């Protein structure tokens, strides 16, 4: 296994940046018709515009096309964000459908029957289906300084790159406001009507003010970001996670595993056995909401049930890979603010 591949797998575990999955879980977790919603109308309108399209991404790469791209293929979370801004993609890759055929949490409000799913788990990307879509551009996030495209397999990345240019939005080592602004700029460049999204942006700013006030009012409340697998519990530090870095900047008091403990998680998280899940004292626990992790209601471990925050009912959800639209990020702020406002010191 190359170093690049090893690092990429580490990031797959990390993105738990609020909870990672062990290597085994990493590998395991890991129609062309337009929607009739406002999203497709916006895309058709954008495609109808004349003139070239240019966008400089977070790798410093500038993509230039003769016209605004109409055939967009994107990582599921990116596609969900663009959908919120009225831009409909043709194909997606990444967690899109759950085992029972429903939309994955990372698909947001998208109608997943209206997109071609060319990969639903880690290391799955059907190059033939991708080529058949005649893609104008591929868009994903990147979790490192190298600009590695999230969920684009290492083994087929060169073939994929030959079929269409790519755009990367960085979610590495920055606060969530930065990628939110970049996604806004990207959607606007693709022809979205941003005036319709202005209200969501204002609501985000209002929610941020509320969270700052809640954190200031209860500085003694300790918050822990966690993620669960069958064998291990993962505690994330705030460094490198776009949501946690922002919450911390707003004054939220987080449990911070020491750097030495986070070494195996690439600096993102610490792995704990369920016997040691009480290593850190927390008044509120934020749990990874992704479908690849075990959700709080399904955790049967006795040690989990004995945690003060669990006994007090002070457990809320967290989205380690948030959908980068203001509309989807407002609840992330409001839920944490609400939890802080109601929280009792229990740890």
């Amino acid at each position: 296994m190359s170093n690049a591949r090893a690092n990429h797998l580490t990031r797959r575990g990390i993105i738990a940046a609020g909870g990672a999955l062990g290597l085994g879980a990493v590998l395991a977790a890991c129609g062309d018709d337009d929607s009739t919603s406002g999203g497709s109308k916006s895309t058709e309108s954008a495609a109808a515009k004349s003139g070239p399209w240019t966008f400089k991404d977070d790798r410093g790469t500038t993509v230039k096309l003769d016209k605004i791209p109409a055939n967009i293929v994107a990582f599921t979370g990116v596609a969900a964000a663009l959908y919120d801004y009225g831009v409909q993609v043709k194909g997606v890759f990444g967690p899109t459908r759950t085992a029972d055929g429903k939309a994955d949490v990372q698909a947001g409000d998208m109608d997943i029957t209206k997109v071609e799913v060319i990969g639903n788990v880690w290391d799955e990307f059907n190059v033939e289906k991708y080529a058949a879509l005649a893609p104008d551009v591929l868009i994903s996030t990147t979790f490192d300084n190298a600009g590695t495209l999230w969920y684009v397999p290492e083994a087929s990345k060169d073939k994929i790159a030959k079929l269409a240019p790519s755009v990367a939005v960085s979610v590495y080592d920055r606060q969530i406001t930065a990628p939110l602004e970049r996604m806004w700029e990207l959607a606007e460049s693709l022809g979205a009507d941003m005036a319709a999204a202005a209200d969501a942006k204002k609501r985000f700013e209002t929610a941020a003010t509320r969270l700052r006030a809640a954190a200031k009012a209860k500085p003694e409340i300790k918050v822990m970001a966690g993620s669960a697998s069958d064998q291990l519990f993962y505690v994330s530090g705030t460094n490198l996670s776009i949501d946690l870095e922002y919450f911390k900047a707003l004054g939220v008091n987080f449990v911070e595993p020491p750097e030495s403990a986070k070494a195996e998680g690439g600096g993102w998280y610490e792995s704990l056995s369920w016997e040691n899940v009480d290593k850190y004292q927390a008044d509120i626990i934020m749990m990874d909401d992704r479908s690849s992790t075990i959700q709080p209601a399904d955790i049967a471990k006795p040690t989990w049930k004995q945690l003060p925050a669990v006994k007090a009912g002070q457990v809320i959800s967290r989205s380690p890979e948030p959908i980068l639209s203001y509309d989807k990020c407002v609840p992330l702020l409001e839920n944490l603010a609400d939890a802080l406002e109601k929280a009792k010191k229990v740890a």
Side-chain angles (χ1 to χ4, degrees), residues 11-69:
R11 287 191 298 276
R12 175 63 185 102
I14 72 177
I15 294 315
L21 308 177
L23 182 56
V26 166
L27 297 174
C30 287
D32 298 354
D33 296 336
D34 282 340
S35 166
T36 56
S37 70
S40 62
K41 292 180 181 178
S42 177
T43 302
E44 291 167 5
S45 174
K49 293 181 180 179
S50 60
W53 181 77
T54 300
F55 189 83
K56 185 175 182 179
D57 75 359
D58 289 337
R59 299 170 299 183
T61 299
T62 299
V63 177
K64 297 181 180 180
L65 299 175
D66 293 336
K67 61 180 181 179
I68 293 176

Side-chain angles (χ1 to χ4, degrees), residues 21 25 47 121-122 132-133 141 165 176 194 196 250 273 278 295 317 321:
L21 308 177
V121 297
W122 183 251
L133 291 174
T141 50
I176 197 171
M194 306 316 291
L250 292 176
S273 66
D278 60 352
Q295 297 306 298
S317 65
E321 292 183 70

